[in-house]
């Protein structure tokens, strides 16, 4: 049995350990991942405007968690409001909140991006639900490119995911698990976008990272599908 999914990591120690394991250097200009995310927000806002032009509807984002939130074109707002009635709100802006506190699951009709990276790593269940929602995404095994992410709604959602992968390496990983009781079980991981995506989007994303660091990320992307872990049988 094969299974593909997105794994979201929010533990800072694990993220640092992953960077060491991947031999990923710091940014040459000492920019942090949060700095890179701030630099990427104008591009992500342009993505939002493009989606709106395609029929998506902007709704009020969750304070402290979402930078923006959009309703899929086929969803009536009245349906969304009806689904939300009677639900309890969690104060996810509370600094004491952590990934162990499971927030209310967002409706599958809403796509959003985090306010900042802290909102990503401290709300792991929320983003795990979003990036594994087959309303929006479908990870598959591609014959040429290995594990890739596809979208059932709009390819720009995949672009957003891959950009987040680059900004905070190790936080969002595409995983394929193969379970065979007669042999063994394996896990193949892709923590970076496919090389073809990197090359296709170079003109758009390299200004965010700088040419030097973009080259480093491209090299890691080239090796991204070769990671193999053995699972417990």
């Amino acid at each position: 049995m094969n299974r593909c999914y997105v794994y979201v990591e929010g533990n800072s120690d694990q993220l640092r350990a992953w960077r060491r394991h991947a031999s990923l250097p710091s940014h040459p200009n000492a920019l942090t991942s949060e700095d890179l995310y701030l630099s990427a927000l104008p591009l992500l806002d342009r993505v939002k405007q493009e989606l709106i032009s395609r029929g998506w509807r902007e709704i009020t984002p969750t304070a402290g968690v979402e930078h923006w939130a959009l309703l899929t074109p086929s969803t009536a707002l009245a349906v969304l409001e009806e689904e939300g009635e009677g639900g309890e709100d969690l104060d996810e802006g509370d600094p004491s909140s952590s990934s162990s506190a499971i927030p209310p699951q967002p409706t599958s009709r809403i796509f959003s991006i985090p306010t900042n990276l802290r909102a990503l790593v401290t709300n792991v269940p929320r983003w795990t639900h979003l990036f594994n929602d087959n309303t929006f995404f479908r990870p598959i095994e591609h014959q040429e490119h290995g594990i890739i992410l596809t979208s059932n709604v709009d390819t720009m959602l995949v672009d957003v995911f891959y950009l987040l992968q680059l900004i905070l390496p190790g936080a969002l990983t595409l995983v394929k698990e193969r379970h065979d009781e007669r042999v063994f079980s394996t896990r193949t991981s892709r923590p970076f976008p496919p090389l073809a995506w990197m090359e296709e989007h170079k003109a758009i994303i390299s200004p965010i990272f700088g040419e030097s660091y973009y080259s480093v990320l491209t090299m890691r992307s080239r090796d991204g599908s070769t990671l193999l872990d053995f699972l417990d049988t």
Side-chain angles (χ1 to χ4, degrees), residues 44-113:
L44 292 170
D45 288 341
R46 291 199 295 273
V47 169
K48 179 190 73 172
Q49 294 303 323
E50 178 61 28
L51 290 173
I52 290 173
S53 74
R54 299 181 186 184
W56 293 66
R57 180 171 179 176
E58 186 171 13
I59 61 174
T60 303
T62 303
V65 178
E66 298 170 327
H67 178 64
W68 49 253
L70 298 177
L71 199 60
T72 53
S74 60
T75 305
L77 190 57
V79 173
L80 178 66
E81 291 172 343
E82 181 179 344
E83 288 183 348
E85 288 180 359
E88 294 183 3
D89 293 331
L90 177 68
D91 185 6
E92 293 169 289
D94 186 343
S96 64
S97 297
S98 66
S99 59
S100 61
I102 301 178
Q105 296 299 322
T107 174
S108 62
R109 297 179 177 89
I110 298 174
F111 180 78
S112 60
I113 64 168

Side-chain angles (χ1 to χ4, degrees), residues 130-185:
L130 176 65
F131 292 124
N132 285 284
D133 189 338
N134 59 16
T135 300
F136 298 122
F137 297 110
R138 187 166 69 96
I140 63 171
E141 179 78 11
H142 190 278
Q143 185 174 2
E144 181 180 356
H145 303 299
I147 311 169
I148 65 170
L149 193 63
T150 65
S151 175
N152 296 324
V153 181
D154 197 298
T155 58
M156 294 192 79
L157 305 188
V158 176
D159 295 338
V160 170
F161 176 86
Y162 283 152
L163 182 57
L164 291 174
Q165 268 196 324
L166 294 173
I167 290 172
L168 188 59
L172 301 174
T173 304
L174 291 175
V175 178
K176 178 186 177 183
E177 291 182 357
R178 175 176 175 266
H179 300 280
D180 188 337
E181 295 180 356
R182 297 169 300 176
V183 189
F184 50 77
S185 297

